[in-house]
């Protein structure tokens, strides 16, 4: 009787092992199929009306999406900085099944409140400005950036009022740069003035804290033949060209490619439940003579792969 | 050390308690598993080595092809440079001729691969250039690496690492990445020669296209470095430039052509190097170790499952085989143990299984059979001996009976009762004759009853007819045979026990009749009788043997003789009630003449 029972147990285990062997053959095929189905749909939302200034960042995002199995959907606003439109578009994207959002928030506080109910099902990663409840923020240390840009100005400053272009609106990241620069300049005994737009007769020293604002100020300087010293931010080709042409005295630049890549990678990881922290992006203060240094070339002029054009 | 000793002792103890089947199964399985494991490790090791070689060979082949494509591309660029130099510059006097037309033609022919063509004099001043014809306001070509390399090593062509060409004034500021091919040239101006530099800016895309689609499979990739390890092409180049990824390019620059194992950022990988002719650039093929150690993630899992399955299959087979060997031995051992416990009827089967086991079981069965025969013989001999003793005992004439009978004959002769004396002597003679019966133990029933009748004749004379005797055999019983001298002891018992107080009204009745296959002889008296429990105890073998008249020993002897002769089912049964009488029933097999003779012959043998 005991022998018969042992024999039955042996046959049962043999059968189980046989099934396990067959499963071990089939399982990877099934998993591969499942993996193929796990292509994540990510929405990238800017706060501008066009994405031309984000070309390099988009390259980085697409590189990350390609490596991590995600597809991207880029959206811009009808009116720059329209936080209400941005919120509405993002909520629609969530309802349409977006797995995660990568956002340059027009109004981080308002957007945080709007997205709060969806925080768990659809994580959000922000660019430029931090946002409460976001899975991460990809941005340089805005306060430090503002300070160092002001220091660059102070190196050249020989007297006179400094105009700070206050275009931040509700964008906390830009506001932090402006506030830090203002504080540094005031601490150095420099008289500062905030203006929302570049006046007809700007003072000798002007600071801008957004890439498009910097570009536009530089273009106006060149077009109107003005001679104010412009200190701005951004690494877009148009900004760099203005730096090279002498219309910008110094810029605070960082790798948009890295920013885009890190934002999408963090978003995908958040969807897949992987914890992680994002360090502030390193930035550099560049002047005209620094542009073609080998390391700065790599930072400012990403290699545009022929396959991605 | 003590732990090992203790474990060894425990194992030894378990081993001693193990069945032969378990020992065989475990031993065979352990040896087979060890063998399979060794073989698997050997196969994996050999397979890994073979895979490694295969991957290296594959990498070398792919790199050779990539090198060929790159070489073709670079030679084409060099031919463009040669064409500009040997067909245009060498044949022109710059004071009279314009180089721009020739450069434009060449540029238009190769515009997909070229960014610019330019000629500079020895000071770095632009002589001619296409498609852009002016330098930036503060451009300093003479300070560029490609210019210095050309000026330093005049006889060679020099390939730069990728860089953004920044000397030409382009209103669009496109910031194109190029690889600059530069060489020292001899310019002729007003008949005089002077040094200069010819620059061919190759589009980086040309090199990228050559390298981009080259893959090594399973996560392997290819990248291109210059002799110093500076990155020229990498499939994730911008990630490296952005500081998000690192590559071991500096170490790769130190390798000669061939395949190497390296560990980079904790990952083991195989690196294959192929130097691109002339430029000194190196193509580097990287195959992560995981790609050739485990072609697919399920392979180790499947291998493990297969190994376990094989081991278990082996164990199962071993179990079956060892069971086939040991089961017959176990059954044999069980039978012997039961035999040892004295279980009657235990049969030693001749087991199947291996030849040795068959021989052993046959020998044991034969031995047991012999032993049983011997034991049966002993039992039979003992029974026969006992029966003989009882027969001898019963065939002996009681001296008292003989004395009393002879005394009665004397008395009757003296008293003139001649006829009665003759009758008594005649009955005594007949009694003796039947007692002898030629030494046979089984005699016709008629003779036995005759013997009883003569005995009763004598006793009736002696007891002055205080009882009457009726001896009869019913039809169907007369011709049967019976054991000799079994009725007379019962009659004697009836007389001395039952008729002790009879006064002319005693009756002793002997009736023989057939019941089925049995012969029954009832000896019945109407004497004192006895309690049923006493009657039952008369035949008890454990009853103390008291040789007194009426003790019942004669009855018990008859019972034992019948039982010993014919088996347990035969013998005496006593029915008795106080003051009612006693019936002693003898049960015998109904033997006909032939059967009686056969049994007689069997006993004599």
């Amino acid at each position: 009787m005991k022998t018969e029972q042992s024999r039955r147990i042996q046959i049962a285990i043999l059968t189980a092992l046989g099934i396990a062997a067959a499963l071990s053959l089939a399982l990877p095929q099934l998993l591969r199929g499942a993996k193929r189905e796990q292509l994540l749909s990510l929405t990238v939302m800017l706060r501008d009306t066009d994405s031309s200034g984000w070309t390099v960042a988009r390259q980085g995002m697409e590189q990350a999406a390609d490596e991590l199995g995600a597809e991207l959907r880029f959206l811009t606003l009808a009116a720059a900085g329209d936080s209400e439109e941005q919120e509405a578009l993002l909520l629609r994207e969530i309802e349409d099944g977006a797995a995660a959002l990568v956002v340059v928030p027009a109004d981080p506080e308002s957007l945080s409140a709007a997205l709060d109910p969806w925080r768990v099902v659809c994580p959000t990663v922000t660019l430029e400005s931090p946002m409460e409840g976001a899975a991460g923020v990809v941005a340089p240390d805005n306060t430090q950036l503002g300070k160092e840009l002001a220091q660059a100005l102070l190196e050249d400053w020989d007297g006179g009022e400094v105009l700070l272009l206050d275009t931040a609106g509700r964008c906390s990241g830009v506001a932090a740069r402006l506030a830090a620069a203002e504080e540094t300049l005031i601490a150095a005994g420099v008289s500062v003035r905030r203006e929302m737009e570049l006046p007809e007769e700007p003072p000798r020293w002007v600071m801008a804290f957004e890439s498009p604002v910097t570009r536009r100020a530089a273009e106006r300087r060149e077009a109107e033949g003005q001679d104010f010293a412009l200190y701005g931010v951004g690494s877009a080709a148009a900004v760099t060209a203005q730096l090279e042409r002498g219309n910008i005295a110094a810029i605070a630049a960082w790798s948009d490619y890295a920013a885009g890549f890190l934002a999408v990678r963090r978003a995908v990881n958040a969807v897949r439940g992987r914890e992680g922290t994002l360090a502030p992006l390193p930035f550099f203060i560049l002047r005209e003579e620094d542009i073609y240094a080998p390391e700065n070339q790599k930072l400012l002029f990403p290699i545009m792969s022929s396959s991605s054009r | 050390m003590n732990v090992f000793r203790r474990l060894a002792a425990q194992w030894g103890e378990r081993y001693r308690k193990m069945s032969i089947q378990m020992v065989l199964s475990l031993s065979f399985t352990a040896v087979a598993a060890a063998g399979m494991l060794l073989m698997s490790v050997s196969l994996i090791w050999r397979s890994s080595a073979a895979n490694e070689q295969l991957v290296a060979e594959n990498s070398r082949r792919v790199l050779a092809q990539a090198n060929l494509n790159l070489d073709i591309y670079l030679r084409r660029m060099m031919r463009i440079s040669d064409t500009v130099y040997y067909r245009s510059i060498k044949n022109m006097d710059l004071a009279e001729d314009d180089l721009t037309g020739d450069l434009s033609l060449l540029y238009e022919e190769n515009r997909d691969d070229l960014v610019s063509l330019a000629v500079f004099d020895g000071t770095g001043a632009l002589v001619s250039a296409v498609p852009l014809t002016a330098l930036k306001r503060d451009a300093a070509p003479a300070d560029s690496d490609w210019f210095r390399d050309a000026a330093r090593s005049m006889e060679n062509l020099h390939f730069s690492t990728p860089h953004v060409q920044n000397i030409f004034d382009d209103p669009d500021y496109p910031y194109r990445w190029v690889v600059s091919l530069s060489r020292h040239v001899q310019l002729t101006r007003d008949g005089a020669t002077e040094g200069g530099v010819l620059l061919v800016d190759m589009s980086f895309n040309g090199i990228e296209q050559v390298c981009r689609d080259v893959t090594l499979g399973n996560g392997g990739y290819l990248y291109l470095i210059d002799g110093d390890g500076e990155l020229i092409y990498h499939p994730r180049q911008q990630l490296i430039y952005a500081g998000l990824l690192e590559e071991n390019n500096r170490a790769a620059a130190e390798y000669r052509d061939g395949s190497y194992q390296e560990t980079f950022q904790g990952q083991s990988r195989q690196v294959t190097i192929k130097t691109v002719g002339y430029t000194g650039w190196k193509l580097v093929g990287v195959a992560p170790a995981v790609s050739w150690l485990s072609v697919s993630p399920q392979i180790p899992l499947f291998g493990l499952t297969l190994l376990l399955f094989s081991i278990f299959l082996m164990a199962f087979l071993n179990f079956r085989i060892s069971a086939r060997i040991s089961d017959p031995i176990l059954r044999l051992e069980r039978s012997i143990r039961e035999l040892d416990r004295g279980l009657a009827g235990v049969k030693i089967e001749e087991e199947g299984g291996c030849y040795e086991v068959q021989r052993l079981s046959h020998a044991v069965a034969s031995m047991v059979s012999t032993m049983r025969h011997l034991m049966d013989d002993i039992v039979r001999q003992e029974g026969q001996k006992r029966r003989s003793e009882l027969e001898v005992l019963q065939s002996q004439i009681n001296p008292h009976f003989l004395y009393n009978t002879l005394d009665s004959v004397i008395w009757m002769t003296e008293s003139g009762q001649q006829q009665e004396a003759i009758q008594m002597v005649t009955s005594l003679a007949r009694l003796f004759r039947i007692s002898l019966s030629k030494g046979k133990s089984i005699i016709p029933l008629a003779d036995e009853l005759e013997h009883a009748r003569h005995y009763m004749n004598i006793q009736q004379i002696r007891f002055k007819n205080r009882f009457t005797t009726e001896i009869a055999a019913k039809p169907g019983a007369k011709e049967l045979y019976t054991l000799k001298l079994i009725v007379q002891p019962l009659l004697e018992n009836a007389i001395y026990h039952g008729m002790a107080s009879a006064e002319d009204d005693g009756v002793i009745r002997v009736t023989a009749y057939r019941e089925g296959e049995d012969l029954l002889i009832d000896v019945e008296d109407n004497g004192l009788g006895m309690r049923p429990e006493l009657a039952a105890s008369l035949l008890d073998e454990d009853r103390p043997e008291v040789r007194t008249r009426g003790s019942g020993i004669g009855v018990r002897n008859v019972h034992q003789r019948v039982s010993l002769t014919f088996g347990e089912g035969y013998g005496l049964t006593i029915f008795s009630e106080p003051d009612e009488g006693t019936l002693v029933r003898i049960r015998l097999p109904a033997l006909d003449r032939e059967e009686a003779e056969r049994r007689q012959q069997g006993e004599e043998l």
Side-chain angles (χ1 to χ4, degrees):
Chain A
M1 183 64 84
K2 194 176 176 183
T3 309
E4 180 65 20
Q5 193 180 358
S6 302
R7 200 174 64 84
R8 281 182 185 166
I9 291 170
Q10 285 166 20
I11 289 172
I13 296 173
L14 266 179
T15 309
L17 279 169
I19 292 168
L23 269 180
S24 67
L25 273 178
L27 206 60
Q29 300 295 330
L30 297 174
L31 287 177
R32 204 173 299 157
K35 273 184 182 173
R36 217 175 285 135
E37 289 167 9
Q38 287 174 351
L39 193 67
L40 298 178
S41 174
L42 267 60
T43 295
V44 181
M45 169 66 74
L46 307 180
R47 65 180 175 88
D48 294 317
T49 52
D50 73 282
S51 61
S52 59
W54 293 88
T55 308
V56 177
R58 184 168 175 163
Q59 268 190 297
M61 289 177 184
E62 282 170 349
Q63 174 81 27
D66 188 48
E67 289 184 5
L68 301 172
E71 57 181 7
L72 303 177
R73 182 172 152 81
F74 283 87
L75 297 176
T76 54
L77 300 177
D82 186 343
S83 61
E84 287 182 8
E85 184 194 359
Q86 192 177 51
E87 287 168 20
L89 284 173
L90 288 174
L91 290 173
R92 194 190 68 189
E93 286 300 304
I94 292 171
E95 285 173 6
D96 288 350
L101 306 174
V102 176
V103 187
V104 185
D107 182 350
E109 199 176 325
S110 170
L111 187 63
S112 173
L115 298 181
D116 190 57
W118 307 97
R119 190 178 297 172
V120 177
V121 292
C122 185
T124 304
V125 175
T126 60
L127 283 159
E128 193 178 76
S129 301
M131 187 181 83
E132 192 182 342
V137 56
V138 179
D141 182 340
N142 288 312
T143 303
Q144 189 62 29
L145 185 148
K147 282 182 185 173
E148 291 195 22
L149 192 61
Q151 289 292 347
L153 183 145
L154 288 173
E155 287 172 13
D156 304 331
W157 186 73
D158 54 4
E161 187 183 49
V162 176
L163 173 65
L164 305 177
L165 290 173
D166 185 3
T167 56
R170 294 175 182 277
C171 187
S172 58
V174 178
R177 295 172 196 166
L178 190 150
E182 186 178 41
E183 188 182 339
T184 304
L185 292 173
I186 291 171
V190 178
S191 172
V192 299
R193 171 163 61 99
R194 287 193 185 200
E195 292 281 351
M196 292 183 71
E197 287 186 2
L198 193 66
E200 291 290 325
E201 294 286 332
R204 274 191 63 203
W205 310 96
V206 177
M207 289 187 79
F209 300 96
E210 289 184 75
S211 181
V213 176
T214 305
R215 177 177 53 80
R216 285 197 296 272
E219 284 169 355
R220 231 183 97 183
R221 179 184 185 278
E222 186 176 45
E224 296 174 7
Q226 295 177 342
D227 64 349
F228 60 84
L230 177 63
Y231 296 82
V233 298
S235 52
V239 174
T240 311
Q242 292 296 343
L243 179 68
E244 191 177 358
R245 287 210 284 266
N247 292 317
I248 301 174
I251 54 170
W254 59 87
S255 170
D256 278 342
Y257 187 90
F261 185 90
L262 290 172
V264 168
R265 189 171 71 178
R266 179 71 202 108
V268 170
N269 286 342
V271 172
R272 291 176 178 157
R274 296 175 197 146
E275 293 297 321
T277 54
L278 288 167
L281 283 173
F283 66 88
F284 309 91
I285 302 296
L286 298 178
R287 294 177 184 274
E288 182 188 350
E289 60 271 22
D290 302 325
I291 294 176
Y292 290 103
E295 289 311 308
N296 293 336
Q297 282 187 36
K298 293 171 186 175
L299 174 75
L300 295 170
F301 313 118
I303 291 176
M304 304 287 275
S305 170
S306 55
S307 61
S308 64
R309 285 180 186 179
Chain B
M1 206 61 186
N2 286 333
V3 175
F4 286 118
R5 277 185 194 151
R6 199 163 61 243
L7 283 174
Q10 282 176 355
W11 176 250
E13 187 63 27
R14 282 184 189 170
Y15 180 78
R16 276 191 290 278
K17 288 180 181 172
M18 276 180 191
S19 66
I20 186 169
Q21 182 188 359
M22 190 58 77
V23 171
L24 286 173
S25 298
L26 285 181
S27 308
F28 289 167
T29 305
V31 170
M36 278 193 291
L37 205 62
L38 196 67
M39 210 161 67
S40 302
V41 170
S42 168
L43 277 174
I44 288 170
W45 180 74
R46 286 181 67 85
S47 169
S48 294
N51 266 338
E52 199 176 316
Q53 285 180 350
L54 201 67
V55 170
E57 186 55 41
N58 181 53
S59 296
R60 275 196 289 273
R61 207 166 35 242
V62 171
L63 259 63
Q65 184 60 48
N67 179 48
L68 184 65
N69 295 341
L70 193 60
D71 193 56
I72 290 169
Y73 175 77
L74 294 177
R75 283 188 186 283
R76 192 150 62 86
M77 295 299 111
M78 288 159 73
R79 273 201 303 276
I80 291 171
S81 177
D82 286 345
T83 304
V84 173
Y85 185 33
Y86 293 111
R87 291 194 182 172
S88 298
I89 296 175
K90 282 250 181 196
N91 299 327
M92 280 188 186
D93 188 326
L94 296 177
E96 298 166 2
D97 304 313
D98 186 8
L99 194 56
T100 308
D102 287 358
L103 292 181
S104 294
L105 278 174
L106 268 172
Y107 175 78
E108 288 302 326
E109 279 178 23
N110 301 281
R111 62 180 306 154
D112 288 344
D113 297 318
L114 296 178
V115 171
S116 58
L117 286 171
V119 179
F120 300 89
D121 67 12
T123 63
L126 183 65
V127 174
S128 182
V130 290
L132 301 169
T133 54
L135 296 180
K136 286 180 179 173
R137 57 181 160 81
D138 50 358
D143 294 337
S144 300
D145 289 339
W146 50 265
F147 191 99
R148 285 201 290 260
D149 287 343
R152 188 173 60 244
S153 183
M154 297 179 182
E155 65 280 10
N156 294 332
L157 282 82
H158 305 275
F159 290 89
S160 75
T161 53
H163 64 102
V164 175
Q165 187 52 278
N166 62 336
I167 57 172
F168 297 106
D169 187 21
D170 187 337
D172 295 333
Y173 285 82
Y175 299 116
R176 289 183 181 137
W177 282 84
V178 298
V179 172
S180 296
L181 167 59
S182 60
R183 72 190 301 171
H184 179 267
V185 291
Q186 290 289 333
L187 303 174
T188 304
R189 201 189 298 267
D190 285 332
T193 58
E194 60 181 76
V197 172
L198 168 62
L199 172 70
V200 178
D201 276 338
M202 301 150 44
S203 170
F204 177 76
N205 293 336
I207 291 171
E208 188 200 19
Q209 280 171 1
V210 170
C211 301
R212 189 183 61 208
D213 296 329
V214 181
T215 54
L216 300 179
N218 297 318
Y221 60 89
L222 173 145
Y223 67 92
L224 183 64
I225 54 174
D226 71 3
D228 297 326
E230 192 64 40
L231 217 55
I232 296 171
Y233 166 80
H234 193 285
R236 303 173 82 191
Q237 194 157 351
Q238 197 52 47
L239 284 177
I240 296 171
Y241 282 176
L244 299 175
L245 189 73
E246 288 182 15
E247 184 54 86
N248 204 21
N249 47 318
R250 298 292 174 192
E254 304 298 322
Y255 296 141
R256 290 170 177 270
D257 285 9
S259 292
Y260 305 88
Q261 297 297 327
E262 68 171 24
T263 302
F264 180 61
Q265 294 183 328
Q267 294 233 324
S268 180
R269 56 191 206 169
Q270 189 187 59
V271 174
T272 305
I273 307 291
K274 175 73 181 170
T275 303
V276 181
Y278 194 80
T279 59
W281 292 355
K282 288 181 176 177
L283 281 164
V284 185
V286 179
V290 286
S291 67
W292 47 270
L293 272 180
S294 55
V295 178
S296 174
Q298 79 269 27
I299 294 294
L301 176 67
F302 179 65
L304 182 68
T305 310
L306 207 61
L307 186 67
L308 286 172
F309 185 78
S310 306
I311 288 172
F312 196 81
L313 194 65
M314 193 60 70
F316 182 75
L317 287 175
N318 286 338
F319 186 84
R320 301 306 305 160
I321 292 167
S322 59
R324 185 165 165 71
I325 295 169
S326 65
D327 278 359
I329 298 173
L330 283 173
R331 285 197 295 273
L332 192 62
E333 188 256 344
R334 203 176 300 130
S335 299
I336 291 170
R337 211 164 46 225
E338 285 174 0
L339 194 69
D340 189 41
R341 284 207 300 268
L343 293 178
V346 173
K347 193 176 178 186
I348 305 292
E349 297 284 352
E350 289 200 20
E351 298 292 344
C354 301
Y355 173 73
E356 290 83 354
V357 179
Q358 287 178 34
R359 290 289 305 271
L360 179 64
S361 66
H362 177 74
V364 171
S366 174
M367 189 181 73
V368 169
S369 173
T370 306
M371 196 171 72
R372 279 202 172 125
H373 279 114
L374 289 171
M375 285 173 71
D376 288 348
D377 282 350
I378 290 168
V379 169
R380 197 173 65 249
Q381 284 170 8
E382 282 296 316
Q384 207 161 15
K385 187 180 166 191
R386 176 68 179 150
R387 204 168 66 240
S388 298
E389 284 172 2
L390 292 170
E391 280 174 4
V392 167
L393 195 66
Q394 291 202 326
S395 63
Q396 286 173 354
I397 298 297
N398 190 331
H400 287 285
F401 169 71
L402 189 56
Y403 168 76
N404 289 336
T405 305
L406 290 176
D407 190 50
S408 296
V409 169
I410 292 167
W411 173 76
M412 281 188 285
T413 307
E414 285 177 349
S415 64
Q417 295 175 355
Q418 298 290 334
Q419 195 56 41
E420 286 83 355
I422 291 168
Q423 188 185 351
M424 192 171 231
V425 171
T426 303
S427 290
L428 189 61
R430 287 288 295 169
L431 197 73
F432 279 119
R433 194 182 64 80
I434 293 169
S435 296
L436 291 172
S437 298
K438 299 177 184 174
K440 291 179 179 174
S441 61
I442 297 173
I443 58 173
L445 175 66
D447 287 354
E448 178 66 11
L449 296 180
E450 185 67 17
H451 180 267
R453 203 168 284 122
H454 288 299
Y455 176 76
M456 289 307 290
N457 284 342
I458 294 168
Q459 292 293 42
Q460 275 183 307
I461 294 169
R462 280 195 57 227
F463 284 89
K464 297 182 175 42
N465 292 323
R466 281 159 57 187
F467 51 85
T468 57
T469 305
E470 296 172 12
I471 298 175
K474 291 186 178 176
K478 286 179 182 172
E479 63 275 13
L480 296 177
Y481 279 69
T482 179
L483 205 57
K484 184 172 73 176
L485 303 180
I486 55 173
V487 179
Q488 180 264 327
L490 306 185
L491 291 171
E492 185 182 1
N493 209 53
I495 292 165
Y496 290 107
H497 182 71
M499 297 295 118
S501 58
E503 294 178 359
D504 299 338
D505 57 349
V507 177
I508 296 175
R509 192 177 291 120
V510 177
T511 310
Y513 56 98
R514 183 168 183 156
E515 187 180 275
E517 294 300 313
D518 291 343
L519 168 63
L520 303 181
I521 305 170
D522 289 352
V523 179
E524 188 180 5
D525 67 70
N526 60 349
L528 295 173
M530 66 188 106
R531 294 191 310 278
E533 54 270 26
L534 178 62
S537 71
L538 283 176
L539 301 177
D540 190 355
E541 287 184 12
D542 298 329
R543 182 185 164 94
E545 200 165 293
V546 182
R547 285 189 173 277
T548 58
R549 185 173 288 173
S551 65
I553 192 162
V555 176
R556 194 155 67 247
N557 284 350
V558 170
H559 176 66
Q560 287 181 357
R561 275 182 64 207
V562 174
S563 296
L564 284 169
T565 306
F566 299 116
E568 290 297 319
Y570 299 100
L572 270 56
T573 313
I574 301 172
F575 307 96
S576 185
E577 283 292 330
D579 300 327
E580 291 290 327
T582 302
L583 167 65
V584 180
R585 178 170 291 160
I586 306 169
R587 182 178 290 274
L588 302 160
L591 302 175
D592 57 12
R593 183 189 177 88
E594 285 179 6
E595 182 65 15
E597 285 179 353
R598 197 179 60 75
R599 280 185 173 264
Q600 189 67 51
Q601 285 169 0
E603 282 184 10
E604 286 169 359
L605 287 172

